[in-house]
Amino acid sequence: MEFTINRDIFLKSIGHANGIIERKTTLPILSNILIEAKDSKIRITATDLDIIYSEAIPLEELKKEGSTTTSANILYDILRKLEANAKVQLSLESPNRLKLVSGNSKFNLLCISSDNFPLSDEDIDQKTFEIPSEKVLKLLNKTKISISNDETRHYLNGIYLHKTKTENKSFLSAVATDSHRLSFSSLEIDPNADFSSIILPKKTIFQLISLIEQNTSVIKISNNKSKIKFEMDNGILISKVIDGRFPDYSKVIPKNNDKVLKVKLNKFKNSIERVTTVSSDHKAGLKMTITKNSLQLSVNSPNSGEGIENMDIEFNAEDMNISFNSRYLIDITSQVENDLITIDLKDAGSPALIKDLSDKNSFHVVMPMKIWFILFNF
């Protein structure tokens, strides 16, 4: 194997693959990426056995076809430190040695034969359907904030993707919850799209987001009950899904929250961030004292002090007090598109429904702090 490639193009692709690699693994081959040179291009492949990512890259020059595997982390670090737009020459000198030359730099990298690289079956029977990349990105970003980190309930450690129907329209819907908050978003898809309900793992979600942010075309999606496949530009990501049953989230969506609070988004978000300054972890309980035209936000930290801020609002009910985890509200406000944020309340002991007036297909549910472990006890 021998070829020449542009450093910047190679670095970008190795960076994509390097995100899949587990830093601590008992199998040395899983620290490596597979490099295959054939038909005037190379294909880079990385896997952690749960996710597999591959990407095709056109070559400036291919002198000899072949394949090998080498350390993803070391190769990425070398490329990162080479000069921009430099030419990089790679040649397989022996079954266990890969030579890399660029300018005055020369490296000999250890290799493991490509025959030892684990490749899973990429065949997924269901037909693909297409979604613009920016819509997939929005769907994931709006729901990822509520993914649970509780390993004892593994079925909450991801986003539940499923097909729903509303008013004779079909949607790809996404839901995540950590039992204290819930985020929902959906996008319209072709009614004939074939999609099996799955739970997409957290690592896959964040890797996919990173890839989509650099993608300009549509995403092709296909899946079955055990795997899901995303095809984008020159890259393909295939992931196993979480084996488990996602709870019936419809039961915890408030239906009768008739006390409506409307406040300007930026003022609300900035005020929360200011008053939580007195809390070292910025996760303090945020007390909201609500009247018809005024909202007072306050945080009281026994170790640091107190922060208070007032702002003008619209509220259609009697005065009330309610407290939330401030970090949850900051996370939600970061995903709201409208200039106003709407919070539908019932009472101090019931979950709040937070809506984005610019996106009728998305909402969030947040529990008041004092009853976290009651309603969302799936």
Side-chain angles (χ1 to χ4, degrees), residues 21 113 140 173 201 276 287 302 313 326 342 362 378:
I21 302 295
S113 171
L140 298 176
S173 296
T276 54
K287 182 180 179 182
I313 60 158
S326 57
T342 301
S362 299
F378 292 127

Side-chain angles (χ1 to χ4, degrees), residues 39-292:
D39 300 331
S40 299
K41 63 183 179 182
I42 60 168
R43 180 167 290 277
I44 304 296
T45 305
T47 185
D48 64 357
L49 298 182
D50 291 326
I51 307 172
I52 182 168
Y53 176 74
S54 64
E55 183 173 326
I57 316 165
L59 289 174
E60 291 186 5
E61 182 182 10
L62 176 58
K63 290 185 177 180
K64 186 177 180 181
E65 296 184 346
S67 63
T68 190
T69 79
T70 193
S71 168
N73 193 42
I74 292 174
L75 180 57
Y76 177 77
D77 215 23
I78 290 172
L79 293 171
R80 186 173 59 85
K81 294 172 182 177
L82 293 176
E83 292 185 6
N85 285 315
K87 284 189 176 182
V88 178
Q89 297 175 313
L90 286 99
S91 56
L92 190 62
E93 301 294 297
S94 68
N96 62 357
R97 189 164 67 93
L98 178 66
K99 182 180 178 182
L100 186 155
V101 178
S102 181
N104 296 323
S105 301
K106 183 171 74 173
F107 302 89
N108 289 303
L109 306 178
L110 294 179
C111 302
I112 300 176
S113 171
S114 57
D115 294 338
N116 297 315
F117 195 81
L119 286 173
S120 62
D121 182 12
E122 296 186 9
D123 292 334
I124 294 177
D125 294 335
Q126 288 181 259
K127 296 179 180 179
T128 63
F129 62 96
E130 298 182 351
I131 303 176
S133 56
E134 65 272 14
K135 290 188 176 181
V136 179
L137 183 61
K138 177 179 173 180
L139 187 80
L140 298 176
N141 279 333
K142 289 215 168 188
T143 50
K144 70 179 183 182
I145 59 176
S146 294
I147 295 173
S148 174
N149 294 313
D150 182 0
E151 297 296 336
T152 62
R153 292 186 289 182
H154 68 284
Y155 50 86
L156 299 183
N157 298 151
I159 293 176
Y160 177 48
L161 294 175
H162 56 300
K163 190 175 177 181
T164 57
K165 284 189 175 182
T166 305
E167 298 176 352
N168 296 320
K169 294 181 180 180
S170 294
F171 295 86
L172 179 63
S173 296
V175 184
T177 182
D178 60 5
S179 80
H180 307 319
R181 54 180 168 171
L182 179 146
S183 295
F184 174 95
S185 188
S186 65
L187 57 87
E188 189 173 354
I189 58 173
D190 185 336
N192 297 316
D194 193 7
F195 189 82
S196 299
S197 299
I198 58 99
I199 304 173
L200 193 62
K202 183 176 181 178
K203 180 179 177 179
T204 304
I205 292 162
F206 284 90
Q207 186 63 28
L208 186 59
I209 287 172
S210 176
L211 293 168
I212 295 176
E213 285 175 341
Q214 303 173 51
N215 189 79
T216 56
S217 62
V218 297
I219 308 294
K220 294 180 181 179
I221 303 174
S222 57
N223 83 317
N224 54 34
K225 291 184 177 181
S226 62
K227 289 187 295 185
I228 187 165
K229 182 177 183 180
F230 300 91
E231 300 175 66
M232 62 208 90
D233 289 342
N234 292 323
I236 298 173
L237 186 146
I238 300 172
S239 173
K240 291 181 181 179
V241 301
I242 293 175
D243 183 15
R245 185 174 181 177
F246 200 82
D248 183 2
Y249 64 89
S250 64
K251 292 180 179 179
V252 299
I253 300 172
K255 301 296 193 297
N256 301 306
N257 286 19
D258 55 359
K259 298 177 181 179
V260 183
L261 165 65
K262 291 183 180 180
V263 58
K264 289 185 177 180
L265 176 66
N266 286 335
K267 285 189 176 182
F268 186 59
K269 181 180 179 181
N270 293 338
S271 293
I272 295 173
E273 290 179 339
R274 280 193 292 267
V275 298
T276 54
T277 305
V278 297
S279 171
S280 58
D281 60 2
H282 295 278
K283 296 179 181 179
L286 178 76
K287 182 180 179 182
M288 297 172 58
T289 303
I290 312 168
T291 63
K292 190 173 184 63

